[in-house]
Amino acid sequence: MTSAYLGIDISKTTFHVALLIDGCTADRNFANTAKGFAKLATWLKKHQVQGLHACMEATGRYGDNLAHWLFSQGHLVSVVNPAAMHYYASARLHRNKTDKVDAATIAEYCQRERPRAWAPPPPEVADLQALWRLRCKIVKTRDADRNRLAAGLPSKVVHDLLKEAIAFANAQIKQIETLIREHIKAHPNLEHEYARLRSIKGVGPITAAMFVTLQLKRFPNERAAVAFTGLNPRIVESGSSVRRRTKISKRGDSRIRHALYFPAINACIWNPIIKRQATRLGKAGKSNMAIIVAAMRKLVCLAYGVIKSDQPFNPNYRKLA
């Protein structure tokens, strides 16, 4: 049973903690190293902590080692969206922003809201995530260089260097894609999910690998999976006068939305379910972007469906059911 709450404000070299236990608060700063983790364990033992719920913000990779260590010690760990903490602090009218204040705010949020538990992905999934994210980074840099090249450059030297950089990036992307495929083949559980996802018309090798990294089985339903990607609609209405245009929330990883853009366009042509949806929305007067976003959202739903049901894609599945 949880009896103590630990708020953690993480940085590159240190982390500040605030401990709420028996109505009292204690705080301390530790080094973000293995030695710092050991000192944290001693400090928690000194306060006779049992049933700890630790909470931190999802800010980069600085907190990964600490989150894994806390999980390995048997503590309940939550990794929350920084936006949630920002708005929570604003609602509490916190005027100051220091490591000590932030850690105390996170601990208070953890006690009041009881955020859902976090669990580290399996090692094979974590490795696949790292490969896919590296590919995203290189593709983004390459595309930016292509745009510079297309815009025209006065310097021939810079023009030639950019061409070399683009060629090198293409070689790296090809190498990473090979490594991704080999990694999936080496793990039967990943290969099984990958095969199910590839059965969806419009989902190519890299898109299927991306869906594998999302661990879709962990979501309770398809709406939660869509919300994780930030593709869920955000409706703004108030009274009789405020009726803003509905947009997507974008409260998720932008890399996922970028990765789904071209597969969605492809699915509008070849996937019978999404093609019917696109035709219906087009007749209703929806814009091309609205149709593509709806197709992206539908791809996530179909991916969730084939993983949850553990069956290949079947466009007549609902009729058969």
Side-chain angles (χ1 to χ4, degrees):
M1 182 177 178
T2 301
S3 60
Y5 301 89
L6 188 72
I8 305 169
D9 185 65
I10 200 84
S11 66
K12 182 179 179 180
T13 57
T14 62
F15 62 93
H16 201 98
V17 300
L19 178 66
L20 294 180
I21 182 170
D22 297 330
C24 301
T25 305
D27 67 273
R28 189 172 170 183
N29 201 61
F30 297 95
N32 195 2
T33 61
K35 289 184 179 180
F37 302 163
K39 289 182 179 180
L40 173 62
T42 304
W43 186 71
L44 292 173
K45 189 175 181 181
K46 177 183 175 182
H47 286 83
Q48 300 179 348
V49 172
Q50 293 180 351
L52 179 70
H53 188 171
C55 185
M56 65 176 69
E57 292 178 309
T59 51
R61 315 241 58 94
Y62 294 149
D64 284 2
N65 291 336
L66 179 57
H68 280 80
W69 180 83
L70 287 166
F71 184 85
S72 68
Q73 298 298 306
H75 300 306
L76 184 64
V77 182
S78 294
V79 181
V80 300
N81 192 320
M85 297 312 310
H86 171 76
Y87 290 116
Y88 180 79
S90 298
R92 302 294 291 175
L93 300 179
H94 290 178
R95 296 176 177 83
N96 300 321
K97 181 169 173 58
T98 64
D99 293 347
K100 182 177 179 178
V101 171
D102 287 349
T105 302
I106 295 171
E108 181 185 336
Y109 174 86
C110 184
Q111 183 182 35
R112 286 174 174 269
E113 301 298 328
R114 309 291 175 89
R116 67 179 182 181
W118 169 88
E124 65 273 15
V125 176
D127 290 342
L128 183 61
Q129 287 174 345
L131 284 170
W132 183 76
R133 287 168 182 166
L134 178 60
R135 182 187 179 277
C136 289
K137 180 178 179 297
I138 296 173
V139 167
K140 185 177 181 180
T141 303
R142 181 202 62 184
D143 291 346
D145 289 341
R146 280 179 171 175
N147 291 336
R148 291 191 188 97
L149 211 59
L153 294 165
S155 172
K156 187 179 184 303
V157 174
V158 175
H159 181 276
D160 293 342
L161 287 172
L162 274 179
K163 287 189 71 173
E164 290 180 13
I166 292 169
F168 180 71
N170 285 331
Q172 278 193 316
I173 292 167
K174 189 174 181 180
Q175 181 185 6
I176 292 170
E177 290 175 351
T178 302
L179 290 172
I180 286 173
R181 190 68 192 102
E182 290 175 352
H183 181 79
I184 291 174
K185 280 184 177 180
H187 298 87
N189 58 324
L190 302 185
E191 177 69 19
H192 180 76
E193 287 193 6
Y194 179 84
R196 291 285 184 261
L197 292 161
R198 285 288 282 126
S199 67
I200 303 172
K201 293 184 182 298
V203 174
I206 298 302
T207 308
M210 181 270 292
F211 277 128
V212 173
T213 67
L214 296 183
Q215 296 180 277
L216 292 168
K217 283 183 180 178
R218 65 193 167 109
F219 297 108
N221 50 57
E222 64 183 26
R223 298 179 78 175
V226 169
F228 181 81
T229 65
L231 288 167
N232 54 310
R234 182 173 181 267
I235 302 171
V236 180
E237 294 181 356
S238 180
S240 59
S241 58
V242 178
R243 291 289 187 278
R244 295 181 184 173
R245 186 163 60 91
T246 301
K247 299 180 180 179
I248 58 174
S249 71
K250 295 188 178 181
R251 296 281 177 86
D253 193 338
S254 61
R255 291 171 296 194
I256 298 172
R257 296 191 294 276
H258 292 161
L260 287 173
Y261 182 78
F262 286 111
I265 294 174
N266 192 34
C268 287
I269 301 172
W270 302 108
N271 189 299
I273 292 177
I274 296 178
K275 185 177 181 179
R276 285 196 297 269
Q277 174 186 262
T279 303
R280 185 179 71 253
L281 293 175
K283 289 180 178 178
K286 299 296 182 182
S287 65
N288 289 336
M289 182 54 71
I291 293 172
I292 293 171
V293 169
M296 293 163 66
R297 189 160 51 242
K298 194 65 174 179
L299 274 179
V300 176
C301 294
L302 294 177
Y304 178 83
V306 299
I307 294 299
K308 203 72 173 179
S309 66
D310 195 22
Q311 295 182 23
F313 172 70
N314 182 353
N316 299 315
Y317 179 76
R318 289 187 182 276
K319 292 181 180 180
L320 293 172

